[in-house]
C-alpha cells in the first residue's frame, strides 16, 4: 500500500466524520465539487457552416450564398453545372451548426448539435443536414455533423395567411456529430492540480484548502487567491483520478451568497436573493404618461361646389399629459427577504419602475445588495 492510497483511505474516513459532524450541527454544507472545478477540464465550442436539404419548398430560394454553396457541393460530388446556370434551391437552406465538445471526448463518440438558419428559409422542418465539419477556435476540425433535424414546432400557410407554432428555423440533431479529434487537457501534467472556485470568494477558497488539508494532511492544498486552490497530487494517472474523485466529495461549509438583485429589462423580471437587506429610507415615486391619439376627418365639398373641388382627409390629433403624484413612503429597515418584498410592494410600482427605485436606493446607501442587469 503506497502513500497516496493510505491518504485516500484516511480522506474517506475523514469525509464520513465530517459529514456526521455537519449533519449533527445542522450547518449549511456542500461538497467541493459544488463550489469548485478542476482547472483545464472544460468543454469547447464548435461551429460549422452547412446545408440542410429535403425541405418542402421552405428553403432559402434565390439567396446567392446558398446557391453558390450548393454548386460547390455538387462539384465536390463530381457534378459540374454549365456556365451561367442559375440555381434557386427552394428545398435547400444555409445553416450554422454549433456544438459543445465535452472534456475527455474521444474519437468515435457522438455529441448533440444545434442547427440554425442564416438565410431566408421559412422552416427547417423535415430537413436533413449534409456532412458539415465543425471547427474549434484554432481552426481545426474536431467533429463531423450530419443527420435529420428535430424541430419542436409546426406551421402552415395558405392564401397569404400563415400560422406558426414555436420556432421553425432552428432545431437539434441528437447525437448528430461524430468526434474526430481529442482536445488535450493538462490534468495529468505536473505534480499538482489546480481547483478553480466558481465564485470570486476568498472565504470559499480558504475553506476548500482547509477541508483538503484536514482530510489529506497539512500542506496538501494552498489557496493562491479568491478563485484558485493548488493541490499536490500523485503523478500516476490511476491514482490521480481516484485522488480527485475523493477530493470532490469532501464536505465544506458553504458561505452565504452575496446580496444581489438581478433585473431583466426585456421581460420585466426582478429577482432578489435572501441576503438582500434594506436600511431605513423614504421614497417618493410618480409617473408621467403622455397619450397621443389621431382620428381621420373627412371634409367633403358642399353642394353645387365649383369644378375642381375635392374631398380632403385630415388628421385630428389629441394629446393628453397625465402626471401621477407620488407620495412620500417610509421604508423601514429589514433583514429578511419577505420584509424587503413587502416594503417594495407598498410602493405599487411595476417592474420597469422598480429598477429605477432600486438604483436610487442603492445610490442612497439604503439597499445593501449588488444590482445586475441581464
Amino acid at each position: 500500500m503506497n502513500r497516496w492510497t493510505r491518504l485516500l483511505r484516511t480522506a474517506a474516513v475523514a469525509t464520513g466524520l465530517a459529514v456526521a459532524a455537519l449533519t449533527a450541527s445542522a450547518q449549511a454544507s456542500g461538497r467541493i465539487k459544488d463550489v469548485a472545478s478542476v482547472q483545464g477540464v472544460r468543454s469547447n465550442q464548435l461551429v460549422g457552416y452547412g446545408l440542410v436539404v429535403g425541405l418542402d419548398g421552405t428553403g432559402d430560394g434565390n439567396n446567392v450564398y446558398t446557391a453558390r454553396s450548393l454548386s460547390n457541393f455538387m462539384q465536390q460530388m463530381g457534378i459540374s453545372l454549365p456556365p451561367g446556370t442559375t440555381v434557386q434551391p427552394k428545398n435547400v437552406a444555409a445553416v450554422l451548426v454549433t456544438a459543445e465538445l465535452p472534456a475527455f471526448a474521444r474519437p468515435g463518440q457522438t455529441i448533440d448539435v444545434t442547427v440554425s438558419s442564416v438565410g431566408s428559409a421559412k422552416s427547417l422542418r423535415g430537413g436533413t443536414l449534409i456532412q458539415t465539419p465543425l471547427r474549434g477556435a484554432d481552426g481545426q476540425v474536431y467533429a463531423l455533423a450530419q443527420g435529420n433535424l428535430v424541430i419542436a414546432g409546426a406551421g402552415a400557410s395558405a392564401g397569404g395567411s400563415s400560422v406558426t407554432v414555436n420556432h421553425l428555423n432552428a432545431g437539434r440533431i441528437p447525437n448528430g456529430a461524430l468526434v474526430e479529434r481529442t482536445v488535450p487537457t493538462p490534468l495529468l501534467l505536473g505534480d499538482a492540480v489546480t481547483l478553480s472556485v466558481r465564485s470570486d470568494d476568498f472565504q470559499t477558497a480558504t475553506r476548500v484548502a482547509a477541508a483538503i488539508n484536514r482530510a489529506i494532511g497539512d500542506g496538501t492544498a494552498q489557496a493562491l487567491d479568491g478563485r484558485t486552490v493548488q493541490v499536490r497530487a500523485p503523478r500516476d494517472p490511476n491514482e490521480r483520478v481516484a485522488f480527485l474523485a475523493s477530493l470532490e466529495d469532501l464536505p465544506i461549509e458553504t458561505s452565504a451568497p452575496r446580496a444581489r438583485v438581478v433585473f431583466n429589462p426585456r421581460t420585466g423580471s426582478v429577482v432578489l436573493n435572501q441576503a438582500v437587506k434594506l436600511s431605513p429610507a423614504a421614497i417618493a415615486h410618480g409617473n408621467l404618461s403622455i397619450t397621443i391619439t389621431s382620428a381621420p376627418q373627412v371634409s367633403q365639398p358642399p353642394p353645387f361646389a365649383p369644378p375642381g373641388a375635392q374631398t380632403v382627409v385630415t388628421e385630428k390629433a389629441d394629446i393628453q399629459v397625465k402626471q401621477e403624484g407620488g407620495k412620500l413612503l417610509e421604508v423601514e429597515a429589514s433583514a429578511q427577504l419577505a420584509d424587503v418584498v413587502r416594503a417594495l410592494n407598498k410602493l405599487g410600482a411595476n417592474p420597469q419602475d422598480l429598477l429605477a427605485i432600486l438604483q436610487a436606493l442603492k445610490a442612497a446607501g439604503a439597499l445593501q445588495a449588488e444590482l445586475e442587469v441581464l
Side-chain angles (χ1 to χ4, degrees):
M1 182 184 299
N2 58 28
R3 172 175 173 268
W4 287 110
T5 303
R6 291 194 298 270
L7 289 176
L8 289 175
R9 290 189 176 183
T10 304
V13 175
T15 300
L17 295 176
V19 170
L22 289 175
T23 304
S25 59
Q27 293 179 350
S29 63
R31 296 171 300 176
I32 289 182
K33 67 168 59 177
D34 299 328
V35 297
S37 59
V38 180
Q39 192 175 56
V41 179
R42 64 178 183 86
S43 61
N44 293 272
Q45 296 177 339
L46 305 178
V47 65
Y49 172 83
L51 294 174
V52 171
V53 299
L55 303 177
D56 188 13
T58 59
D60 289 340
N62 57 355
N63 280 355
V64 176
Y65 50 85
T66 304
R68 183 169 298 179
S69 300
L70 181 59
S71 299
N72 295 338
F73 177 77
M74 295 176 68
Q75 289 180 1
Q76 293 177 3
M77 296 292 104
I79 302 175
S80 299
L81 298 177
T85 303
T86 302
V87 180
Q88 295 183 356
K90 296 183 179 180
N91 296 338
V92 181
V95 294
L96 285 180
V97 185
T98 57
E100 291 282 339
L101 183 65
F104 311 121
R106 300 301 181 193
Q109 296 179 344
T110 57
I111 57 177
D112 298 343
V113 298
T114 301
V115 181
S116 305
S117 172
V118 295
S120 57
K122 298 180 179 63
S123 173
L124 299 180
R125 188 176 180 86
T128 300
L129 176 71
I130 58 178
Q131 191 178 83
T132 303
L134 301 182
R135 304 177 185 274
D138 56 358
Q140 299 294 326
V141 176
Y142 286 91
L144 294 176
Q146 181 172 286
N148 298 323
L149 272 72
V150 177
I151 306 292
S157 61
S161 300
S162 62
V163 176
T164 303
V165 179
N166 293 336
H167 194 63
L168 302 179
N169 287 336
R172 290 180 64 84
I173 306 178
N175 299 323
L178 194 65
V179 178
E180 298 290 338
R181 186 191 298 265
T182 300
V183 178
T185 57
L187 179 65
L188 302 178
L189 300 179
D191 296 328
V193 294
T194 303
L195 301 181
S196 298
V197 180
R198 294 189 176 91
S199 60
D200 185 9
D201 189 359
F202 289 98
Q203 187 178 38
T204 301
T206 302
R207 288 179 176 178
V208 169
I212 296 174
N213 289 331
R214 284 195 302 268
I216 308 300
D218 292 338
T220 304
Q222 180 183 7
L224 303 181
D225 50 43
R227 279 189 179 270
T228 307
V229 178
Q230 192 174 52
V231 184
R232 291 192 297 109
R235 297 187 63 90
D236 183 80
N238 292 329
E239 292 184 358
R240 178 164 291 194
V241 171
F243 178 77
L244 292 176
S246 176
L247 289 188
E248 288 184 335
D249 280 337
L250 290 179
I252 63 169
E253 296 182 10
T254 57
S255 57
R258 293 182 179 180
R260 180 170 297 180
V261 178
V262 180
F263 180 80
N264 189 338
R266 294 182 294 273
T267 61
S269 304
V270 181
V271 180
L272 301 81
N273 65 6
Q274 61 182 1
V276 176
K277 299 179 181 180
L278 279 179
S279 300
I283 303 173
H285 185 73
N287 293 327
L288 176 66
S289 60
I290 300 176
T291 304
I292 302 177
T293 59
S294 179
Q297 290 187 341
V298 180
S299 177
Q300 296 182 346
F304 308 106
Q310 298 179 354
T311 301
V312 178
V313 179
T314 60
E315 296 286 340
K316 181 181 179 181
D318 183 17
I319 302 176
Q320 295 181 357
V321 180
K322 182 180 178 182
Q323 184 173 10
E324 299 178 1
K327 62 181 180 179
L328 193 64
L329 178 65
E330 181 181 0
V331 179
E332 298 180 356
S334 57
Q336 300 295 328
L337 179 59
D339 297 334
V340 175
V341 173
R342 280 194 294 268
L344 295 177
N345 284 336
K346 290 180 181 179
L347 301 176
N350 57 42
Q352 298 293 338
D353 294 334
L354 192 57
L355 176 61
I357 295 174
L358 293 174
Q359 288 177 334
L361 286 172
K362 177 68 175 179
L367 179 65
Q368 303 177 22
E370 298 178 0
L371 290 180
E372 180 179 352
V373 180
L374 297 180

